[in-house]
């Protein structure tokens, strides 16, 4: 199955070291077959081997195979020495890779022969760690099946305990203050283990051996319920009380793993509407959590790939096609045929769904708009008191905020829309060795990247960097991750846009510390991110298709055909420039973009007015702006072209969230086949822009005429939307073919926020492959601005390799 490999790729991880600072020496039963001829081998294992049950696993294996020796660690990974019959060691090695604990990941195993020693037992030894340590923290992992069974077993001592976990599951990244990942460095430090928990923790044959968050009813964190004003509600069973309130239609703020959720019954339209009103979130789809896979199948047409993705230990939100008669409140995802669904990943969530009356819950990040999610109890009371009717609280602190990850299956494999819980802080390989550096990303959906050597570490999704709370979150997360991975950046990489908060932060920070600064153009960074994921050196043809990015000519780019290597790029072609009347206002009000596109395409003012539903006043105002070029910056953005098309086809004047119009256009096109019925929809390479060093211009005037003709002829919205998608794809495929004629390049990289559009991604990939291109898409970082900083890091690594000094 192709995407299993990809998931492994997403979770590709640094070489981790076991943390055996304690002088623990544990010994297994002695060898019982002294008569067999013995050999001794050393075995080095690299991969994810800390906090994931690797030591008890190896200890148990050695015991079962009756082998002597030890397991320890050093800076390069885990080192095991084994002594015993050759057949036993062979069996051990087979089982090492075939029975690996669920959260562990073996990247490499190498063996060497050693002389025999006089050992008769297998030990876990304390190890000295020298030099630079790449000790990390695992990502948070969903409750495992063993823990789930205990949770629901009335005879188990952890029956209905909301914080049970083991080495195969539980919180990690979000409860850790600093490395080494060890209980005193986590928010579990304030809960001394009871005797029984301690015994499990100390027993290498126990599933909870060194499970740092291990806890039970006797010794661990507790939940309680509060009313909206923060006063405690006396209840012997806060979980059942919460369920009753949710079913009654209340909005509950529920403290989770990486932050608070706002929860509401997803089948109750009035309750969902009330949540939207209070959260000031109109239109944007809300994620819903359901009990299990069967419940998910009942409301969505899940593909096999989506089912696998839903059940991974990262438990991301997965976008999936909604079934039509499903009982979910229409207000959950108005205007689009998809739902963002996910499965419970924390014991507390499983408890909510253990009541069969609970069918589906809206579980959305507890924040306003793109502000950081609330994590502290007092902060939640203050920030959410006006939204929630009550709080399900607990007293285990969340130390690192981390939103739920959002994914979708794009062209047969998972793609990340938001990379956060369950994926962070796992490393992503870099194709070029990088000196320690920090890439600060862009502006919206910010994620930064720290890099050193051949690995990049992306932060969790941080949100839009436009207010002080987001910047605080950025700095907090940076301090945490640079400490965790011991990366002291010598270079800071930022976007070309002079006005971004991230750019200014980078310049100030580098100035204060005398660090080297590297600037990377936005669309180059997008392509470089995808190149780096696939270890492509280039040159490649990069289709960098998105909403907004600052170009080298000071204009707003976004429909770009670039010829890229990692360290530089040429602009081969771009969509023709069109004014954005009102600047940012044209993003919030797509009719403005439609008006500008129609005027540029040669329609007269009254036609543009009629087609966009503008008033006389609006029409006159926009015409003047466009004519005089006042407050109408020029853009070649494909995202804005999608907005404009949606405004005309769907009559959508305003949007409530980023890319809403384009998402609705993709949604309505779903009813039609992929094929193109009107070739006039295809943008054409018609001119060479002399101001762009010979970059070709893709004109779209005839596309608009074909679209408006269809509209006037009464062609369905679905058909026009499908033609539009197919035409855009065809235009960029032809541009790529043109680039190949000029340069002989056959590799095409697809990147930019428009690649979240699954129809466009599919059409581009299949069309390009038909033309004999090799096509690469994002699988480990987001194609949108969440992946930008990883691309910046890759570009900087390539530049620094060539010019190590300033
Ligand atoms: Zn578990
Ligand atoms: Zn306990
Ligand atoms: Zn972008």
């Amino acid at each position: 199955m192709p995407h299993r490999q990809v998931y492994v790729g997403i979770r590709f991880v640094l070489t981790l070291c076991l943390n055996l600072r304690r002088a623990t020496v544990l010994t297994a039963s002695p060898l019982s077959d002294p008569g067999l001829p013995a050999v001794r081998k050393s075995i080095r294992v690299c991969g994810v081997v800390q906090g994931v049950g690797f030591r008890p696993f190896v200890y148990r294996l050695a015991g079962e195979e009756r082998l002597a020796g030890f397991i320890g660690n050093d800076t390069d990974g885990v080192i095991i020495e084994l002594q015993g019959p050759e057949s036993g060691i062979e069996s051990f090695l087979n089982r090492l890779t075939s029975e690996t604990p669920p959260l562990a990941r073996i990247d490499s195993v190498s063996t060497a022969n050693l002389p025999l020693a006089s050992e008769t037992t297998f030990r876990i030894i304390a190890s000295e760690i020298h030099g630079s340590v790449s000790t990390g923290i695992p990502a948070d992992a969903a409750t495992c099946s063993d823990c789930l069974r205990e949770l629901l077993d009335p005879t188990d001592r952890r029956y209905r305990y909301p914080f049970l976990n083991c080495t195969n599951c539980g919180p990690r990244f979000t409860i850790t203050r600093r490395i080494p990942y060890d209980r005193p460095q986590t928010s579990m430090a304030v809960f001394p283990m009871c005797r029984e928990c301690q015994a499990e923790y100390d027993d290498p044959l126990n599933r909870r051996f060194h499970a740092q968050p291990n806890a039970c009813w006797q010794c661990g964190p507790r939940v309680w319920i509060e009313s909206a004003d923060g006063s405690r509600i006396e209840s012997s069973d806060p979980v059942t009380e919460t369920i009753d309130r949710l079913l009654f239609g209340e909005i509950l703020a529920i403290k989770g793993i990486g932050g608070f959720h706002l929860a509401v019954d997803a089948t109750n339209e009035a309750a969902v509407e009330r949540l939207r009103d209070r959260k000031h979130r109109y239109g944007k789809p809300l994620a819903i959590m359901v009990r299990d896979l069967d419940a998910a199948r009942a409301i969505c047409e899940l593909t096999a790939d989506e089912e696998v993705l839903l059940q991974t230990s990262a438990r991301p939100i997965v976008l999936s096609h909604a079934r039509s008669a499903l009982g979910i409140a229409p207000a959950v995802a108005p205007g689009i045929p998809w739902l963002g669904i996910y499965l419970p990943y924390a014991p507390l969530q499983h408890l909510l769904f253990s009541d069969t009356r609970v069918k589906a819950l809206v579980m959305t990040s507890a924040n306003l708009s793109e502000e950081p999610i609330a994590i502290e109890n007092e902060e939640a009371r203050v920030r959410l008191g006006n939204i929630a009717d009550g709080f399900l609280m607990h007293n285990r602190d969340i130390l690192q905020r981390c939103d739920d990850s959002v994914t979708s299956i794009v062209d047969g494999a998972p793609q990340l829309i938001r990379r956060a819980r369950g994926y962070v802080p796992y490393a992503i390989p870099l194709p070029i060795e990088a000196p320690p550096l920090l890439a600060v990303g862009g502006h919206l959906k910010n994620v930064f990247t720290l890099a050193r050597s051949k690995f990049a570490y992306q932060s969790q999704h941080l949100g839009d960097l436009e207010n002080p709370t987001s910047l605080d979150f950025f700095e907090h997360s940076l301090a945490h991750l640079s400490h965790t991975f011991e990366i002291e950046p010598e270079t800071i990489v930022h976007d070309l846009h002079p006005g971004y908060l991230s750019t200014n932060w980078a310049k100030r920070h580098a100035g204060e510390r005398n660090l080297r600064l590297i600037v990377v153009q936005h669309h180059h960074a997008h392509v470089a991110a995808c190149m780096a994921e696939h270890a492509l050196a280039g040159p490649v043809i990069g289709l960098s298709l998105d909403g907004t990015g600052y170009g080298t000519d000071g204009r707003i780019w976004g429909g770009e055909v670039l010829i890229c290597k990692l360290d530089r790029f040429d602009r081969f072609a771009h969509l023709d420039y069109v004014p954005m009347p009102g600047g940012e206002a044209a993003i919030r009000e797509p009719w403005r973009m439609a008006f500008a596109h129609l005027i540029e395409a040669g329609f007269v003012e009254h036609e543009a007015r009629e087609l966009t539903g503008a008033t006389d006043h609006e029409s006159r105002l926009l015409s003047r702006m466009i004519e005089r070029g006042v407050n109408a910056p020029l853009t070649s953005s494909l995202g804005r072209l999608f907005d404009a098309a949606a405004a005309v086809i769907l009559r959508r004047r305003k949007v409530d969230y980023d890319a809403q119009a384009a998402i609705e256009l993709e949604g309505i096109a779903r009813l039609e086949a992929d094929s193109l019925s009107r070739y006039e929809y295809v943008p054409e390479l018609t001119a060479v822009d002399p101001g762009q060093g010979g970059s070709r211009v893709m004109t779209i005037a005839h596309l608009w005429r074909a679209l408006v003709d269809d509209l006037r002829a009464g062609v369905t919205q679905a058909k026009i939307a499908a033609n539009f998608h197919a035409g855009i794809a065809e235009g960029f495929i032809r541009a790529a073919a043109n680039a190949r004629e000029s340069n002989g390049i056959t590799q095409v990289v697809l990147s930019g926020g428009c690649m979240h559009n699954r129809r466009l991604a599919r059409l581009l990939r299949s069309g390009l492959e038909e033309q004999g291109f090799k096509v690469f898409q994002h699988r480990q970082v987001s194609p949108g601005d969440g992946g930008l900083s990883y691309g910046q890091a890759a570009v900087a690594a390539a530049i620094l390799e060539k010019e190590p000094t300033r």
Side-chain angles (χ1 to χ4, degrees), residues 4 43 101 153 184 201 262 283 301 330 381 445 524 564-565 576 623-624 650 726 738 744:
R4 198 183 133 66
I43 298 157
D153 175 2
Y201 184 92
L262 286 164
E301 296 165 14
R381 289 180 191 113
K445 303 177 179 66
H524 181 207
C564 291
K565 296 191 76 155
D576 202 359
S623 292
R624 265 206 311 278
L650 307 176
N738 218 291

Side-chain angles (χ1 to χ4, degrees), residues 389-440:
D389 298 310
F391 293 88
L392 182 59
M393 291 285 200
H394 63 70
N395 58 344
R396 184 177 67 197
D397 288 343
I398 298 168
L399 299 178
Q400 312 304 330
R401 52 165 57 79
C402 203
D403 282 275
D404 295 314
S405 294
V406 183
T407 60
S408 71
I409 298 291
V410 175
D411 222 7
Q415 193 169 83
L416 286 150
I417 296 168
R418 183 165 77 196
R419 187 179 187 271
R421 180 187 49 75
Y423 298 96
V424 176
Y426 285 139
I428 307 164
L430 274 175
I432 295 178
E433 291 248 351
L437 64 84
L438 163 69
V440 297

Side-chain angles (χ1 to χ4, degrees), residues 142-148 164-170 207-208:
T143 307
C144 73
S145 54
D146 288 332
C147 285
L148 185 56
L164 91 169
N165 62 81
C166 71
T167 47
N168 298 327
C169 72
R207 210 174 85 240
R208 296 191 161 90

Side-chain angles (χ1 to χ4, degrees), residues 522-523 526 544-549 557-559 637-640 752-754 785:
H522 191 99
H523 300 96
H526 274 311
S544 203
L545 310 175
D546 75 350
T548 301
W557 292 9
S637 163
L638 179 61
R640 297 290 84 79
C754 292
D785 285 3

Side-chain angles (χ1 to χ4, degrees), residues 100 128 256 264 338 420 437 485 577 649:
T100 314
E128 288 298 319
V264 72
W338 305 289
L437 64 84
F485 296 108
Y577 283 123
I649 300 167

